[in-house]
Amino acid sequence: MLKVPLHQVAGHQACDGKLGPLVDESGRFCKPLQSDERGSDEVAFYTSFSSNTRIPDHIRRFFPVFYGTQLLEASDGSGLHPHLVLQDLVSKHLNPSIMDVKIGSRTWPPESSEDYIKKCLKKDRESTSLALGFRISGLQIYGSKESGYWKPEKKLIQKFSAEDVRLFLRKFVSSNASADSDLEPDCSFASVVYGGSTGILAQLLELKAWLEDQTIFHFYSCSVLLVYENELALKGSSSGAEVKLVDFAHVLEGRGVIDHNFLGGLCSLIKFISEILTTPDEYTTKACLQDSEKNHFFSDSGTNE
Amino acid sequence: MLKVPLHQVAGHQACDGKLGPLVDESGRFCKPLQSDERGSDEVAFYTSFSSNTRIPDHIRRFFPVFYGTQLLEASDGSGLHPHLVLQDLVSKHLNPSIMDVKIGSRTWPPESSEDYIKKCLKKDRESTSLALGFRISGLQIYGSKESGYWKPEKKLIQKFSAEDVRLFLRKFVSSNASADSDLEPDCSFASVVYGGSTGILAQLLELKAWLEDQTIFHFYSCSVLLVYENELALKGSSSGAEVKLVDFAHVLEGRGVIDHNFLGGLCSLIKFISEILTTPDEYTTKACLQDSEKNHFFSDSGTNE
């Protein structure tokens, strides 16, 4: 029985009679193929990736398992439509907190059409992609049984500044983050979610090491999903923290060159997360100092590093 | 006594009555300030950098020493002109082989004017910057007393493809590279120039480690100079290999964000150089296999990594 996923934070969504992904109870995520070349390109990527013997196992686990394609009833009622059948990344989670981070300061592949470049470049400049090397595309934070999930609106997320990104990466691992809270994020889950030998930072660093060397794929407009389980994090020992890569409609062959665009953005995200781990309480102080510094080009007051 | 530098491979040159840098016999390199904000921005960078106590010494050595600014007779005969007075990076070299590599897939800072973005983006797309994350801007290779230097023309260098870059990074450390040679580069100096604990690769890796962490500066349109001494390399023990950073007319404050654009490009250059060290003879085979693969999207034949 296919149904609309409960925990989708970005991308096309199957609600109100629109075309979007569906999940089943056996842990499969069925994503309708986009009708243009993006659909076939994503199938080509999964087909190639899943049979590629040069992908080490510790890297393969960052990617959804691919079960092939299948004709399924589309969520928009338009009849049979080809779908990618993938692993549902959050099916084993009860109340996942999820963040979708689109990596790369450039979301367009080198040989794109002029129109496509223009469209993407505009988005990259208006969002934080150009400045930070990544942008937050969606998120949900689980609060408690009473408060449920906090899922900021798409329009709000699209307007995130660099400081908003810094703030939301903190809120994401805080027990006091909610829609109506202006509280300083307490970052109380930072060490169990971001930190530790199996935490998000350690996983991102593994991915980074592979990207410094691999020249098989270039991942444009691809996201990393950061997922953890609030109730596990509350217990303090583990958090079920996972990093997954998703969205491969713009993957190109690397042709002997590393994916410097994805790698650069990933390193920037890593730095943001490292700073939360080393200075969990410094958000406000730091932001204020930085603001006051904006008119002091190349000042040496030691505050912006 | 100021004179035209012997070993300049890129940038404006002081010949035929044009405005360009001059050197003196005490090892100083005098670079005329560009008349627009690039001139004052470069002074601002050097002033800030040289007094910044957060730059570790092992990183400072990659930058030219800054001796201030000075009014000097311009090389174009136009009278007194303000100059940056810098360390002449090659004054202690006898016959330096030099490569200037402009780092970053994007050479324009985020807040540039539309015209400037358009101009830079065009160059980045036409050169290898976009695809590789860097481009070769100039080079000279010392052959021998008889043959002297080989310095390919600017126009040729501007047309370098990814494969040309791969080839010239090999020729740069070969004893059989010259204008009229179609020989497979022998890479006979690769291990003493690129390799070893003090070689170019080790130096680039030190720079990379700093860039993963530093959020003080963003270096747009900045180059790394790779320099070594042919006659030392011939002896086989050391090569006087040095990495230096130059051209800081487009440096911005990092504002708490790493320079993901420069870092990504640097990692790409590092990968190219690592491959020369691990597979010094594989150039032709590899290039051919890659060519034959171009029409096999996502093939898994194991040749392009």
Side-chain angles (χ1 to χ4, degrees), chain A residues 44-45 48 51-54 105-106 108 110 112 114 117 121 125 130-133 166 208 212-217 251-253 255-258 260 263-265 267-268 271-272 290 294 296-300 302 304-305, chain B residues 44-45 48 51-54 105-106 108 110 112 114 117 121 125 130-133 166 208 212-217 251-253 255-258 260 263-265 267-268 271-272 290 294 296-300 302 304-305:
Chain A
F45 167 75
S48 157
S51 66
N52 194 314
T53 53
R54 290 174 291 156
S105 72
R106 171 161 56 87
W108 48 275
S112 308
E114 295 305 314
I117 293 176
L121 187 55
R125 290 173 71 191
L130 201 78
L132 306 188
R166 204 180 288 282
K208 169 179 173 256
E212 285 173 347
D213 191 52
Q214 77 85 22
T215 62
I216 315 171
F217 302 114
V251 178
L252 295 194
E253 216 173 41
R255 292 196 183 153
V257 179
I258 64 162
H260 46 86
L263 176 60
C267 289
S268 178
K271 174 70 176 174
F272 272 75
Q290 282 188 339
K294 274 184 185 159
H296 299 85
F297 192 61
F298 294 142
S299 73
D300 185 23
N304 69 342
E305 201 194 32
Chain B
F45 167 74
S48 158
S51 66
N52 194 314
T53 53
R54 290 175 290 156
S105 72
R106 171 162 56 87
W108 47 276
S112 308
E114 295 305 314
I117 293 176
L121 187 54
R125 290 174 70 191
L130 202 76
L132 306 188
R166 205 179 286 282
K208 168 179 173 258
E212 285 172 348
D213 191 52
Q214 77 85 21
T215 61
I216 315 171
F217 302 114
V251 179
L252 296 193
E253 214 174 43
R255 293 194 182 154
V257 179
I258 63 160
H260 47 86
L263 176 60
C267 289
S268 178
K271 174 71 176 172
F272 271 76
Q290 282 187 336
K294 274 183 185 160
H296 299 85
F297 192 60
F298 295 142
S299 72
D300 184 23
N304 71 342
E305 199 192 32

Side-chain angles (χ1 to χ4, degrees), chain B residues 169-226:
Chain B
L169 283 168
R170 289 179 182 260
K171 281 187 186 270
F172 185 61
V173 291
S174 291
S175 68
N176 63 346
S178 72
D180 42 29
S181 162
D182 284 330
L183 291 175
E184 176 83 358
D186 59 24
C187 293
S188 59
F189 307 141
S191 60
V192 282
V193 175
Y194 290 151
S197 62
T198 60
I200 280 173
L201 182 62
Q203 294 182 51
L204 293 176
L205 288 169
E206 263 189 90
L207 208 48
K208 168 179 173 258
W210 180 64
L211 283 156
E212 285 172 348
D213 191 52
Q214 77 85 21
T215 61
I216 315 171
F217 302 114
H218 283 192
F219 300 99
Y220 292 101
S221 207
C222 168
S223 287
V224 298
L225 274 190
L226 313 179

Side-chain angles (χ1 to χ4, degrees), chain B residues 1-267:
Chain B
M1 171 63 189
L2 291 165
K3 54 184 186 175
V4 174
L6 280 175
H7 303 299
Q8 199 187 340
V9 300
H12 303 282
Q13 304 200 2
C15 52
D16 309 324
K18 287 186 201 145
L19 186 63
L22 298 167
V23 292
D24 71 11
E25 280 146 14
S26 73
R28 303 200 170 192
F29 181 88
C30 305
K31 181 178 177 180
L33 259 64
Q34 290 172 281
S35 52
D36 52 20
E37 70 273 14
R38 287 177 295 176
S40 49
D41 286 355
E42 193 158 19
V43 175
F45 167 74
Y46 274 111
T47 307
S48 158
F49 183 85
S50 57
S51 66
N52 194 314
T53 53
R54 290 175 290 156
I55 313 293
D57 286 342
H58 74 282
I59 293 303
R60 198 172 285 285
R61 72 184 169 108
F62 291 121
F63 292 77
V65 179
F66 173 57
Y67 300 108
T69 56
Q70 206 175 330
L71 278 177
L72 296 169
E73 284 294 333
S75 64
D76 62 356
S78 63
L80 288 174
H81 188 100
H83 286 65
L84 279 163
V85 184
L86 304 167
Q87 173 192 10
D88 181 358
L89 299 173
V90 295
S91 67
K92 61 180 195 291
H93 284 272
L94 206 62
N95 298 304
S97 291
I98 309 175
M99 187 179 278
D100 179 302
V101 187
K102 196 184 280 267
I103 305 290
S105 72
R106 171 162 56 87
T107 55
W108 47 276
E111 321 260 294
S112 308
S113 72
E114 295 305 314
D115 279 353
Y116 190 73
I117 293 176
K118 210 171 155 183
K119 192 180 113 185
C120 292
L121 187 54
K122 186 168 184 285
K123 269 196 203 169
D124 296 345
R125 290 174 70 191
E126 286 171 356
S127 71
T128 63
S129 293
L130 202 76
L132 306 188
F134 65 88
R135 65 180 182 245
I136 296 177
S137 297
L139 78 149
Q140 69 176 24
I141 303 174
Y142 183 76
S144 64
K145 250 180 208 159
E146 294 69 41
S147 65
Y149 292 96
W150 177 35
K151 197 168 170 177
E153 278 189 37
K154 208 170 178 175
K155 279 189 185 168
L156 180 78
I157 295 172
Q158 282 169 343
K159 285 184 198 149
F160 273 4
S161 66
E163 281 318 309
D164 293 331
V165 167
R166 205 179 286 282
L167 178 63
F168 271 81
L169 283 168
R170 289 179 182 260
K171 281 187 186 270
F172 185 61
V173 291
S174 291
S175 68
N176 63 346
S178 72
D180 42 29
S181 162
D182 284 330
L183 291 175
E184 176 83 358
D186 59 24
C187 293
S188 59
F189 307 141
S191 60
V192 282
V193 175
Y194 290 151
S197 62
T198 60
I200 280 173
L201 182 62
Q203 294 182 51
L204 293 176
L205 288 169
E206 263 189 90
L207 208 48
K208 168 179 173 258
W210 180 64
L211 283 156
E212 285 172 348
D213 191 52
Q214 77 85 21
T215 61
I216 315 171
F217 302 114
H218 283 192
F219 300 99
Y220 292 101
S221 207
C222 168
S223 287
V224 298
L225 274 190
L226 313 179
V227 187
Y228 75 92
E229 193 68 43
N230 177 282
E231 275 153 40
L232 289 175
L234 269 174
K235 288 183 198 153
S237 57
S238 150
S239 63
E242 279 186 314
V243 169
K244 296 285 179 181
L245 287 170
V246 294
D247 295 338
F248 305 103
H250 301 280
V251 179
L252 296 193
E253 214 174 43
R255 293 194 182 154
V257 179
I258 63 160
D259 189 353
H260 47 86
N261 176 62
F262 192 96
L263 176 60
L266 187 70
C267 289

